[in-house]
Every structure is written in C-alpha cells, then in structure tokens.
Amino acid sequence: MLRGFIVVFYILIVCGAEAQVISGVSVTEVDSGWASNSVNVVVFRKNSLVSFRDTQFISFYDKDAYVMLGKRRHGSKEWILKRTAYKGNATDAHNSISIMVDGDGYLHVAWDHHNNTLRYCKSTAPGSLDMTEKITMTGKLENSVSYPEFYKMPGGDLLFFYRDGGSGRGNLVINRYSIATKQWTQLHSNLIDGEGKRNAYWQACTDSKGIIHISWVWRESPDVASNHDMCYARSNDGGVTWEKSTGEKYTLPVTASNAEYALRIPQNSELINQTSMFADNKGDPYIASYWRDAGSTIPQYHIIYKTKGKWQVENTGFRKTSFSLSGVGTKRIPISRPQLVINRSGKKIKAAVIFRDAERGNKVSVALSKNITKRKWKLYDLSSSSVGAWEPSYDTELWQQKRIVNLFVQNAEQADAEGKTSLPAQMVKVLEWDL
C-alpha cells in the first residue's frame, strides 16, 4: 500500500477468485446523469469536481443533456443541485463540461465544445450556483474551441487552455483570468504551433510553487494512429514565458523542430492522446500515458518522468491483451486513459495509476507502486461492477489542499466514433476511501 495517500473511491482487493471489501469506504450518490456515451466521464475534464475552502462543486450533463451544477460541504453526503438553462450536444463525447473556482470563490464553467463557438459563464456571486448569461472571455479566437481546461494558480487567478482549430491542424491558446480585475487576457494565441500540418494534444498541471507543466503528443492527421512522441515545456511566470526542463528558454511558438522531446514514440504505436500529468513537491514532472513498445502487440501504461536531471520511462507492464487504435472521432477503447497521483518521500516515488481495463471487467482499478524506480506494481479493483467506458477525473484542488483524491465515477457507454448508445441515465457518484 501507499502510505500518505487518502484516496476517494470504492476499493476491492482481489484475493484469488474472491474480492474483499476494505473498511473506510464512503460512497456518495449525487443524481442520475447522461450515460449514453462517455461525455461525462472523459479523462480531459478539468475539472469534473473542484473544491474551494470547505465546499466541493460538481458538474455533469443530466438525462436531458442540460448542464447540472452541484455543491456540498466537505464531509456531507447531501448535494445542493441546480439545473442550468444551458444544454449541450451530449451525443458528441468531446463536448465535456469543465469547471474551476477562482480565488474569490466564483465558479467558472465551460461546456459543449468541439470546433465551435466559446460557451462560457461564471457564477453571479462567490459560492453560488446561479450563473451569468453566456459571455466571452477576450473575444479573440473564440469561434473554433475544443478541449477547454481550467487551471488555478496559487494566488487565485485562473488559466484557460483550449485548442483553436481542428484535429491535425490546431493551435494551443492560453487565457488568464485576474481576480483583481475580473477580466480575461490572452497570454498566447498560439503557444504550440502545428504549422498547419499537425496539432498538439496536451495534458498539463500546476505545482505547489505555481510552475505550469505541459506535455503533449503530436498528431499528423485526424487519425488517432498518427499520434507520436512526447514533448515537454514549463512556465515559471504564470504562463508568459516558457522553457525546457533544462532551463533553456523557448522561442515561441513551440514547433516540432524546437520542442523538447521527453521520449520519442513512433506513429502507429497505439499512443493515446490527452492523458494526465503530475508534478511532485520538488517540481519534477510525471506524464502518464499508454502505448505499445516496439516488438510488442500489447499497449501498456507508462510513466515518463524526470529525476536527477534525466528523463526516465517506467513500463508498468501488467496488461495482457492487445488492441489497435485507428480511425477518427471518439473511439470505443478497451482501456481508459490514466490518471496519475505521485507522493514523493525522500528517494521514494510512490505512485497510483488509476484506470479502467476490459481485461479486469471494466471496473475502476488502480496500480500502486511503493517506489516506481523499483518497477514493482500491485493491482487492485476499486469497484465491484463495470463502469462501462468510464475514464478517471478527480478533484485536483482537494488533492493540493489536503492530499485527498475524490473521483467522479459514473457507469457510461461509448459507441465507436460519435453517437449514443441505448444506455439510460446512470447515477453519478463520488467514491471515497480513507486509505
């Protein structure tokens, strides 16, 4: 087990053919939500759950595809819910809802984006679930928005990342919200430039020192099989300037020719896009993804990380079944993209990789390592039944505040490419376990 983790989910340890329930489990039901595809449970929701002081907020599409917001006091099982006036095209699994609370307590919401006009609003008062009308941010590059993600800075300002343009030809835009002025400004219209030939699919995080870490794969076309390589950049000044892990300053925009390559991964390696990353208390970055190594037919979860000045890669190596990524749109993939939590203590790098895998019955699962440098992993199932096409997302702010992970969990299905299945609305849950 990993001492120092307090993780919020339901856990079963698999012992032979039987499973034993561990004590200290708390399961909180919220309300039923849209489940005919994976729009509520995609990994790139930043965030599905978010805490501010003693209150936790949640968002999801309800059974009729309206944006539902909720909040509760920490420790409470009672949610206050409000159905907004906003409806999304939930049949497209790209169109997820992302939320964040700024340093003054205002809730910010972005929803229903896949190469379309910005859909954004904020609460009318701190802590409120009443939202403004749909509003713009900067008025610049807001006509072809995809993958909206909020990140909170230590002082309470927010960052908003999104792709401008389509798959294989998009650029990364970053806006910043000031709690002092209550205004958004555009830091970068094109931080990572695909040069009209490719686009970057990123994952990002902020650490306790306010350093912004971003990593990405390049995609050469709308076909997911064209994903390749893993690149890295960081910012020490709130997103204004960017550098490599060596401290060398980037000349912006970052392109395929001047990017830092943490690891070279060829096309057609079953490399997935938009996963997760983490930075430990020393500011060292960790990137979780999956791909197939040369000579193997089985995609495995990997962790790319930098320690002692060198990029390392850890292959968890526990998967046993092969599959292939190819085609466009949201794929029905037998495993989820992972979430990664690191707890570093001295020389020990303790890790939890949270995932879902068909070979484990599509349950919520976790791979734990007491020290990833020792390359030993233990697997546990964290739910007793299938969660369909679920992917993990968690309350990043609660982790930073209290070292507690809260998982958003819902059973959902995903048809290959876009479209919906016949699965009716399913219960949204926050699964809690005090490890």
Side-chain angles (χ1 to χ4, degrees):
M1 295 295 184
L2 293 182
R3 295 185 62 188
F5 282 93
I6 301 176
V7 187
V8 179
F9 36 47
Y10 182 81
I11 184 165
L12 302 172
I13 288 186
V14 177
C15 302
E18 298 183 357
Q20 298 179 3
V21 178
I22 287 182
S23 61
V25 172
S26 176
V27 180
T28 304
E29 294 187 343
V30 184
D31 198 1
S32 60
W34 178 278
S36 298
N37 66 358
S38 59
V39 68
N40 275 336
V41 293
V42 288
V43 76
F44 49 80
R45 295 192 64 188
K46 296 290 187 301
N47 283 346
S48 56
L49 292 160
V50 63
S51 287
F52 179 73
R53 296 176 181 168
D54 62 350
T55 302
Q56 185 177 62
F57 295 84
I58 194 170
S59 67
F60 54 93
Y61 288 111
D62 71 9
K63 63 182 179 63
D64 299 313
Y66 281 91
V67 176
M68 181 73 76
L69 300 175
K71 65 179 181 177
R72 66 168 177 172
R73 295 290 184 182
H74 286 157
S76 173
K77 291 184 177 294
E78 300 298 323
W79 289 88
I80 299 171
L81 298 173
K82 183 176 180 63
R83 188 196 221 194
T84 72
Y86 301 118
K87 193 172 185 178
N89 175 21
T91 60
D92 184 341
H94 293 85
N95 295 352
S96 62
I97 308 166
S98 291
I99 61 173
M100 184 55 75
V101 180
D102 67 33
D104 287 335
Y106 286 87
L107 178 66
H108 297 248
V109 182
W111 75 99
D112 196 32
H113 293 101
H114 192 198
N115 304 331
N116 52 17
T117 304
L118 177 69
R119 295 180 171 97
Y120 161 73
C121 63
K122 59 181 287 193
S123 60
T124 57
S128 176
L129 298 179
D130 294 325
M131 308 306 291
T132 64
E133 298 294 323
K134 186 171 64 174
I135 53 179
T136 64
M137 286 186 175
T138 68
K140 303 173 183 177
L141 300 176
E142 295 182 351
N143 294 323
S144 185
V145 177
S146 297
Y147 308 117
E149 296 183 354
F150 291 103
Y151 298 92
K152 188 176 181 180
M153 301 301 295
D157 287 1
L158 302 184
L159 298 174
F160 186 68
F161 288 30
Y162 66 94
R163 187 185 74 193
D164 172 49
S167 178
R169 52 177 178 80
N171 301 318
L172 174 57
V173 177
I174 300 181
N175 295 339
R176 180 162 182 154
Y177 178 81
S178 167
I179 59 174
T181 65
K182 303 290 189 295
Q183 298 293 321
W184 287 94
T185 57
Q186 193 160 100
L187 296 182
H188 298 283
S189 61
N190 186 13
L191 178 66
I192 303 176
D193 187 0
E195 302 173 286
K197 302 175 183 178
R198 61 188 63 87
N199 76 273
Y201 281 97
W202 73 87
Q203 48 275 329
C205 67
T206 57
D207 66 25
S208 59
K209 300 175 184 177
I211 299 173
I212 308 163
H213 303 262
I214 186 167
S215 58
W216 66 95
V217 302
W218 293 112
R219 183 183 289 186
E220 299 298 315
S221 76
D223 189 341
V224 66
S226 69
N227 288 343
H228 63 95
D229 298 323
M230 189 67 73
C231 302
Y232 174 80
R234 71 186 181 201
S235 175
N236 299 301
D237 58 6
V240 178
T241 64
W242 291 80
E243 65 182 27
K244 300 179 180 181
S245 65
T246 59
E248 178 187 348
K249 296 294 184 183
Y250 273 113
T251 299
L252 300 178
V254 182
T255 64
S257 62
N258 71 352
E260 176 181 5
Y261 287 82
L263 189 68
R264 292 284 190 173
I265 307 168
Q267 292 188 49
N268 300 304
S269 295
E270 324 307 343
L271 172 64
I272 194 60
N273 50 277
Q274 294 164 287
T275 57
S276 64
M277 68 181 302
F278 194 94
D280 65 21
N281 52 14
K282 294 181 65 177
D284 287 339
Y286 302 78
I287 307 160
S289 190
Y290 67 74
W291 67 86
R292 173 181 56 79
D293 286 334
S296 173
T297 62
I298 302 173
Q300 299 284 0
Y301 291 109
H302 294 72
I303 300 173
I304 304 169
Y305 64 103
K306 191 163 191 181
T307 185
K308 298 181 180 179
K310 294 183 179 180
W311 286 107
Q312 312 283 343
V313 60
E314 163 66 356
N315 181 353
T316 59
F318 56 76
R319 298 199 65 257
K320 299 181 177 13
T321 55
S322 61
F323 65 87
S324 179
L325 296 177
S326 183
V328 300
T330 302
K331 306 298 293 178
R332 179 62 169 95
I333 303 171
I335 66 175
S336 75
R337 288 166 285 193
Q339 286 287 354
L340 175 65
V341 179
I342 298 291
N343 190 25
R344 186 166 185 164
S345 177
K347 296 182 179 180
K348 290 186 176 180
I349 304 174
K350 304 173 184 179
V353 178
I354 305 165
F355 66 98
R356 183 257 320 155
D357 193 337
E359 72 179 27
R360 301 186 68 82
N362 282 323
K363 300 173 184 178
V364 181
S365 299
V366 66
L368 301 178
S369 173
K370 292 181 180 180
N371 189 350
I372 62 174
T373 64
K374 301 299 182 182
R375 304 196 165 184
K376 293 182 179 179
W377 294 86
K378 291 187 177 181
L379 300 180
Y380 303 90
D381 289 331
L382 311 175
S383 67
S384 58
S385 58
S386 170
V387 287
W390 171 86
E391 292 187 308
S393 61
Y394 72 101
D395 187 337
T396 56
E397 302 310 294
L398 188 59
W399 167 262
Q400 291 187 7
Q401 295 168 20
K402 299 182 178 180
R403 291 299 186 263
I404 296 173
V405 176
N406 276 205
L407 283 173
F408 179 107
V409 176
Q410 184 194 27
N411 179 35
E413 289 297 340
Q414 177 63 50
D416 201 34
E418 304 314 329
K420 65 178 184 177
T421 70
S422 59
L423 186 68
Q426 301 287 302
M427 183 60 64
V428 171
K429 304 173 183 178
V430 177
L431 303 184
E432 306 183 7
W433 174 44
D434 187 344
L435 180 54

